[in-house]
Amino acid sequence: MGADKLQLRSFWFWVLIASYILFAIFLIYPLSSLFSGSFQDITTGAFTLKHFITFFTKRYYYNSLFNSFKVTICVTVLTMLVGIPLAYIMSVVKIRGKDFLQILIIISMLSPPFIGAYSWILLFGRNGFCTNFLRSIFGVTMPSVYGFNGILLVFTLKLFPFIFIYVSGALKKLDVSLVEAAEGLGCHPLRKLFTIVLPLVLPTAMAGALLVFINALADFATPMLIGEGYMTMPVMIYNEFISEVGGSANFAASISVILVFLTAVVFLLQKYVVGTKSYVMSSLKPIQPKRMRGWKNVLAHLFCYSFVLLAIIPQATVIFTSFLKTSGPVFLMEFSLDSYTKILSKSADAILNTYRFALLALLIIVVLGMLIAYLAVRRKNIASSVLDTISMFPYVIPGSVLGITLLLAFNKRPLLLAGTSAIIVITFVIRRISYTIRSSSAILYQIAVSTEEAAIGLGDSELASFLKVTTRIMMPGVLSGAILSWITCINELSASVLLYTGKTKTMSVAIFTEVNRGNYGTAAALSAILTLTTVVSLLILFKVTGNKEVSM
Amino acid sequence: MSTAITFSNVVKKYAKNVVIPALSLEVRNGEFFTLLGPSGCGKTTLLRMVAGFNSIESGEILFDNIVINQIPANKRNIGMVFQNYAIFPHMTVGKNVEYGLRLRKTPKQELKARTDEILARVKIEEYRDSPPERLSGGQQQRVALARAIVINPKVLLMDEPLSNLDAKLRVEMRGTIREIQRSVGITTIYVTHDQEEALAISDRIAIMDKGVIMQVGTPRGIYQRPYNVFVATFIGFSNLFDAVVGQSGAEKTLEFSNGYTVPIKQLKNDVKAGEKVRVSVRPEDFVQAPEGDGIRGTVRTSTFLGRYVNYQLIVEGQEMEFVQDLRADAEFLTDGQEVWFSVAPEKINVFDQTGGHSLIEGVVRFGS
């Protein structure tokens, strides 16, 4: 027993040390070199503030900051205006096909971020299907889908699911007796909504809003594709970095530092505001959806269906157009599998790479995620709590920033990783491990310590009880997080687009470059494969968790 | 100011499933009326129909001769106390209590005065500005009660309000509820599955089973003179025997299956000699008798409960209970011991053979 204990302590001790080393090399060191790089003169290497001074004095640069905030704030407000009513209506009114709608909402949330921008251009762009159709038949000219409005449209439809999912979850925890108590006291239904329901779900809605805000602030592909010169910070970072690698790398680093700083401020501000205002609720009897009649029922259905269908248009568009014959960038109204045969010869590597890199990343994520979660929950001490916090850092680091960070850190010996497959896998792990850590910790909190103790009491060593008992019971929780990690890995673009080389191109990068070259057919076929993989993975997730929900 | 409630052939259905078939009942002005029954008997469903949270499929509910079927819950002017209190977590105690008054656009000074008064009455004035999560269960219950009655509702409806409290607090709170209800004089319908609570708190009780009212009466009336075997066994414990009505001169008798016979005076006039009946005897209504006289039983096991001893008996192959008062001269019975009992004839209850209704003079289903 004594020997076992010693061996065990050393096992978890080494796990802790190893995790620290990994995070130090692949996260802390790169971030600190980004930070120091942003204060460095590229030629002399001396300390300088000139990048920051340039950013804040040149209108061209600081405007991107305003643009980013304008987009992000507008998107956050719009997603709340769509997401909250949608969640509320679907929880109080019996909506036909509700399960189906919920799955569509989750699919639209988890598909690649750039599919939205690209599909809306296909439909309503200058030469889009709908634009041409409306012009030739009705002579109607649609308002432009490019620029600020286009970014708003795509982001809102892409990100309102976060609010929807969070608010739906909060409404499930709201006991119906609270609503009835208000009614019994004489409250009019509408007033009840504003004095009871909304104030109670608002803290949770704010948590969803934070995710929307961070995602919108970090997303690079959407403003890049549909913004047409509407410069947001991630786009500027990408441009500065890609256009003249060398001179601008440090400048890009400075913009990155500003972006990370702002994201962190918003993150902490939100945690502070919501942290003081959240209510512990648990419902014995949640609100039951009621069947409505007449025009109210029609309106409720109309509202839910129109927003969900709008959100799923991009996926429908890519799948549909992937089966069309193309001539250059133009789709012909003729069925064909050409696009698929083309990608099989041209982009087979990208397809294989995606699955290879993501699978490898997933393997590391699951092992590392379980171990870190176990350390953070069962061996709670300062060292493991700090580790847990560090693992959440990537949450506030936009993908493009992480890409630059890793490039700057690993472009020279002894850690020359730039251009390798390893750096892509590492990016996947860093960006997406938090889903698995969180879901593993969540299930660990639900498993009584006594289950492990029972195994030990029956004669197992503690290590054996972890491997044979704990890991097995943890599996459903680990899997649900791992599938999310997997889906978000295969759809990762903003970091890989900076890190890829010809050999390490992934599907999402390939789609991005194909769209930029006007090869819409092959882009659609690749997107369809990616969407299909996402849907299949989601179905597996629902099977594993036994319900049709996703916790992000 | 308070209100009488009338249920007239009220029906509750969920799709094709009838939960309450044609129920009629009168709740008097200012009365503390309890709906008591096993879980799933329809008592909460009925209460929620009064509140307006459940629809009424057929029949009528009236407040003082006014049909309320179509009035929405927020216009019925009711005070409702929920099982889980349903305190608004985002409002202070004071704001919770004021909520209904604000909806009624009560002038500011009156609002403050009434809130102060009710908070003092339920003894939570010092928590006025506290968020509710800091309060204990009992205190939250007081907030819920204050919030419900501060609006001077027509009726007070309480759905198992004490079931989430511990035993000691339950006893204390039911005293508080009763006291406040008396002083306000408000008609109250109270739902519980706890018979002791119902007996302790109510003016009258309705015992429900499967959506049907089995008996309405005072706590004492229901315990001593149950209308049917369901009530006799649901409220307290009853030992059941088969017996035959006999005649001895002018007097009627009950003949138990082993030949033990007792005279019985309180049977209804239309009960004829030779009729087969069910007899229920409370455990405390057995009297120890000399050997060979009465009913024979064997002690299976006993539980010592301080003031009295509870014995599990086997009588003619059936399990029965006997409660022995611990007077100075009481002799403990030992396991396996054979004992003989007589019954106190004035206390026992007699039912028709199916157990559906009482044969005792003056016992009715809807008692006053």
Side-chain angles (χ1 to χ4, degrees):
Chain A
M1 187 69 197
D4 267 359
K5 195 105 191 166
L6 201 71
Q7 174 210 341
L8 177 91
R9 194 162 285 151
S10 62
F11 172 75
W12 286 111
F13 175 77
W14 288 117
V15 169
L16 189 66
I17 297 290
S19 313
Y20 262 105
I21 293 175
L22 285 176
F23 276 107
I25 297 176
F26 295 113
L27 191 63
I28 306 297
Y29 158 68
L31 280 179
S32 50
S33 51
L34 175 83
F35 191 72
S36 61
S38 71
F39 290 100
Q40 232 169 34
D41 188 295
I42 188 65
T43 43
T44 62
F47 175 84
T48 175
L49 284 174
K50 75 172 183 195
H51 308 305
F52 291 98
I53 293 168
T54 313
F55 183 85
F56 285 109
T57 51
K58 290 237 166 76
R59 191 184 155 73
Y60 171 76
Y61 293 118
Y62 68 70
N63 228 11
S64 73
L65 182 67
F66 289 130
N67 285 348
S68 268
F69 268 80
K70 204 165 119 194
V71 164
T72 322
I73 290 168
C74 289
V75 164
T76 310
V77 171
L78 285 175
T79 50
M80 301 254 273
L81 289 179
V82 177
I84 296 177
L86 194 66
Y88 182 73
I89 291 173
M90 282 174 81
S91 68
V92 298
V93 182
K94 242 193 188 129
I95 300 288
R96 278 169 185 278
K98 180 183 172 180
D99 281 358
F100 181 63
L101 289 186
Q102 272 172 335
I103 293 175
L104 289 186
I105 289 174
I106 295 169
I107 288 174
S108 83
M109 176 176 80
L110 287 174
S111 20
F114 44 85
I115 284 188
Y118 147 63
S119 299
W120 283 99
I121 293 173
L122 278 186
L123 294 174
F124 288 97
R126 259 165 229 111
N127 202 22
F129 289 128
C130 300
T131 317
N132 291 343
F133 179 76
L134 290 170
R135 194 166 37 219
S136 58
I137 307 286
F138 301 104
V140 181
T141 315
M142 291 293 291
S144 166
V145 78
Y146 299 96
F148 179 72
N149 294 336
I151 299 175
L152 277 197
L153 172 80
V154 173
F155 272 161
T156 304
L157 291 177
K158 160 89 187 150
L159 297 173
F160 83 79
F162 284 108
I163 308 276
F164 171 82
I165 286 174
Y166 271 65
V167 174
S168 300
L171 285 170
K172 272 197 201 104
K173 289 202 192 123
L174 189 80
D175 198 283
V176 71
S177 67
L178 288 173
V179 181
E180 287 174 348
E183 251 176 75
L185 289 166
C187 198
H188 185 270
L190 206 61
R191 180 149 183 187
K192 169 185 85 190
L193 179 63
F194 284 101
T195 58
I196 306 292
V197 179
L198 274 182
L200 286 175
V201 301
L202 208 59
T204 321
M206 292 303 284
L210 175 72
L211 275 182
V212 171
F213 193 94
I214 289 179
N215 269 285
L217 191 61
D219 190 293
F220 133 85
T222 303
M224 183 78 189
L225 288 175
I226 209 169
E228 292 216 324
Y230 191 87
M231 192 72 87
T232 62
M233 287 186 77
V235 176
M236 178 166 290
I237 292 171
Y238 177 81
N239 284 348
E240 288 301 320
F241 194 79
I242 291 295
S243 58
E244 310 151 49
V245 178
S248 294
N250 287 55
F251 186 57
S254 312
I255 309 175
S256 303
V257 167
I258 295 169
L259 187 57
V260 171
F261 177 76
L262 291 173
T263 316
V265 167
V266 171
F267 181 80
L268 293 174
L269 208 66
Q270 192 270 359
K271 289 278 165 221
Y272 174 76
V273 172
V274 173
T276 55
K277 270 211 189 124
S278 72
Y279 312 107
V280 185
M281 293 190 292
S282 60
S283 64
L284 303 158
K285 229 175 87 192
I287 299 172
Q288 289 299 321
K290 284 205 185 84
R291 201 175 292 285
M292 288 269 178
R293 286 177 205 291
W295 60 272
K296 277 188 186 169
N297 191 33
V298 175
L299 273 185
H301 277 79
L302 202 65
F303 184 85
C304 295
Y305 272 87
S306 48
F307 275 105
V308 175
L309 292 181
L310 275 175
I312 208 72
I313 276 181
Q315 284 69 30
T317 310
V318 292
I319 292 172
F320 176 70
T321 54
S322 70
F323 292 108
L324 292 182
K325 208 178 184 71
T326 55
S327 146
V330 181
F331 285 105
L332 307 170
M333 275 305 156
E334 195 181 324
F335 173 80
S336 128
L337 287 173
D338 283 1
S339 297
Y340 286 96
T341 37
K342 243 181 257 169
I343 59 165
L344 281 183
S345 63
K346 223 173 64 173
S347 306
D349 276 354
I351 299 171
L352 279 179
N353 278 343
T354 302
Y355 294 126
R356 248 195 341 240
F357 297 161
L359 269 179
L360 192 56
L362 187 67
L363 198 70
I364 302 171
I365 285 173
V366 167
V367 174
L368 206 56
M370 278 176 83
L371 291 174
I372 291 175
Y374 190 87
L375 279 173
V377 175
R378 287 282 197 264
R379 321 261 144 185
K380 222 179 202 130
N381 56 35
I382 296 173
S384 65
S385 303
V386 170
L387 183 67
D388 192 39
T389 312
I390 293 175
S391 71
M392 296 297 161
F393 273 12
Y395 199 71
V396 294
I397 303 173
S400 44
V401 172
L402 189 74
I404 292 178
T405 307
L406 293 178
L407 263 186
L408 286 177
F410 299 119
N411 61 1
K412 48 194 172 291
R413 289 181 193 286
L415 280 166
L416 182 59
L417 295 175
T420 62
S421 320
I423 202 165
I424 308 258
V425 174
I426 291 165
T427 309
F428 284 0
V429 173
I430 294 175
R431 286 204 79 191
R432 310 306 195 199
I433 193 171
S434 57
Y435 296 121
T436 305
I437 295 181
R438 266 187 290 169
S439 72
S440 308
S441 319
I443 198 159
L444 261 180
Y445 277 115
Q446 288 167 24
I447 302 173
V449 186
S450 53
T451 349
E452 283 160 63
E453 287 168 349
I456 297 163
L458 292 169
D460 258 337
S461 75
E462 284 195 41
L463 184 55
S465 93
F466 171 74
L467 293 175
K468 293 200 316 216
V469 179
T470 315
T471 52
R472 304 274 166 87
I473 313 177
M474 279 172 79
M475 256 323 146
V478 177
L479 272 181
S480 68
I483 295 171
L484 277 184
S485 294
W486 156 260
I487 292 175
T488 47
C489 276
I490 56 174
N491 292 330
E492 208 289 332
L493 172 72
S494 40
S496 2
V497 78
L498 288 162
L499 296 167
Y500 82 95
T501 61
K503 273 191 200 154
T504 61
K505 201 182 220 179
T506 60
M507 261 196 275
S508 37
V509 173
I511 298 167
F512 181 74
T513 49
E514 292 298 281
V515 171
N516 272 344
R517 288 184 201 140
N519 295 332
Y520 291 148
T522 45
L526 285 167
S527 302
I529 292 177
L530 214 44
T531 304
L532 187 72
T533 313
T534 305
V535 172
V536 170
S537 312
L538 263 181
L539 294 179
I540 295 173
L541 175 69
F542 295 151
K543 189 93 194 158
V544 167
T545 57
N547 58 26
K548 289 179 185 52
E549 278 156 32
V550 163
S551 62
M552 293 297 283
Chain B
M1 68 166 246
S2 66
T3 308
I5 307 166
T6 308
F7 299 80
S8 165
N9 291 314
V10 167
V11 175
K12 178 75 213 166
K13 282 188 214 165
Y14 289 111
K16 291 249 158 56
N17 186 14
V18 179
V19 185
I20 296 176
L23 180 146
S24 294
L25 186 65
E26 295 272 349
V27 178
R28 293 180 203 129
N29 205 325
E31 184 173 36
F32 198 114
F33 193 92
T34 298
L35 299 174
L36 173 66
S39 60
C41 73
K43 54 193 192 297
T44 296
T45 308
L46 191 63
L47 185 82
R48 291 170 60 82
M49 287 161 84
V50 180
F53 301 135
N54 282 353
S55 58
I56 303 164
E57 268 64 48
S58 167
E60 286 173 342
I61 296 178
L62 300 94
F63 284 1
D64 279 345
N65 304 324
I66 297 163
V67 178
I68 58 155
N69 288 32
Q70 296 307 323
I71 304 177
N74 60 341
K75 299 270 161 55
R76 286 190 190 183
N77 200 19
I78 45 148
M80 176 106 181
V81 176
F82 294 83
Q83 186 172 11
N84 63 345
Y85 325 132
I87 306 293
F88 305 133
H90 59 305
M91 299 179 188
T92 61
V93 167
K95 288 269 184 294
N96 262 281
V97 175
E98 287 166 14
Y99 187 83
L101 292 175
R102 283 184 195 281
L103 290 174
R104 285 164 179 71
K105 308 220 163 34
T106 313
K108 211 169 178 186
Q109 285 205 310
E110 190 194 335
L111 180 132
K112 189 177 177 308
R114 279 167 74 177
T115 309
D116 286 345
E117 198 250 303
I118 201 76
L119 286 174
R121 183 174 264 183
V122 298
K123 302 197 181 71
I124 44 168
E125 60 267 62
E126 71 260 44
Y127 299 107
R128 189 184 182 121
D129 299 316
S130 314
E133 77 249 23
R134 297 235 193 95
L135 270 56
S136 69
Q139 289 163 339
Q140 292 199 22
Q141 190 54 265
R142 286 167 192 268
V143 178
L145 189 60
R147 187 179 65 184
I149 54 181
V150 74
I151 57 170
N152 292 332
K154 285 191 172 141
V155 296
L156 180 62
L157 306 174
M158 306 181 94
D159 183 10
E160 309 229 9
L162 303 182
S163 61
N164 286 348
L165 301 178
D166 65 58
K168 196 159 169 265
L169 209 50
R170 237 181 354 240
V171 172
E172 185 195 320
M173 268 311 288
R174 81 186 181 208
T176 308
I177 290 175
R178 182 64 174 141
E179 196 181 301
I180 290 170
Q181 188 269 341
R182 279 243 169 91
S183 68
V184 180
I186 183 174
T187 312
T188 301
I189 302 184
Y190 186 98
V191 162
T192 183
H193 65 268
D194 180 337
Q195 44 166 303
E196 186 193 313
E197 196 173 297
L199 294 175
I201 207 170
S202 320
D203 290 323
R204 285 195 306 156
I205 300 172
I207 312 277
M208 286 181 73
D209 185 40
K210 299 182 182 116
V212 176
I213 290 188
M214 289 291 154
Q215 187 173 6
V216 179
T218 60
R220 186 184 268 234
I222 280 178
Y223 185 82
Q224 293 179 335
R225 290 292 174 217
Y227 178 72
N228 53 29
V229 168
F230 176 83
V231 176
T233 51
F234 182 72
I235 298 285
F237 187 90
S238 290
N239 299 303
L240 293 175
F241 293 93
D242 288 318
V244 181
V245 178
Q247 191 89 31
S248 165
E251 228 174 27
K252 292 220 173 75
T253 58
L254 284 178
E255 247 173 68
F256 289 80
S257 51
N258 71 340
Y260 169 59
T261 306
V262 284
I264 183 147
K265 294 198 178 86
Q266 65 270 29
L267 284 185
K268 283 179 182 163
N269 285 333
D270 57 350
V271 181
K272 299 279 179 299
E275 188 172 340
K276 288 182 178 168
V277 293
R278 296 281 278 166
V279 176
S280 81
V281 182
R282 297 282 185 197
E284 63 271 25
D285 294 338
F286 278 134
V287 184
Q288 268 180 269
E291 195 176 324
D293 182 14
I295 300 160
R296 195 181 61 140
T298 313
V299 177
R300 200 169 65 85
T301 169
S302 66
T303 317
F304 178 74
L305 292 165
R307 249 182 286 173
Y308 50 87
V309 183
N310 205 20
Y311 292 98
Q312 306 289 318
L313 309 172
I314 302 289
V315 178
E316 288 165 9
Q318 287 183 65
E319 288 212 15
M320 301 224 173
E321 268 186 38
F322 163 52
V323 168
Q324 181 189 35
D325 248 330
L326 285 185
R327 292 180 307 267
D329 60 340
E331 231 177 88
F332 288 114
L333 307 175
T334 52
D335 292 1
Q337 188 179 339
E338 191 184 278
V339 269
W340 290 79
F341 295 104
S342 59
V343 297
E346 67 284 3
K347 290 192 172 166
I348 60 175
N349 283 288
V350 184
F351 306 98
D352 70 314
Q353 203 182 4
T354 61
H357 63 91
S358 176
L359 300 177
I360 303 289
E361 184 61 45
V363 178
V364 290
R365 185 174 214 149
F366 293 90
S368 52

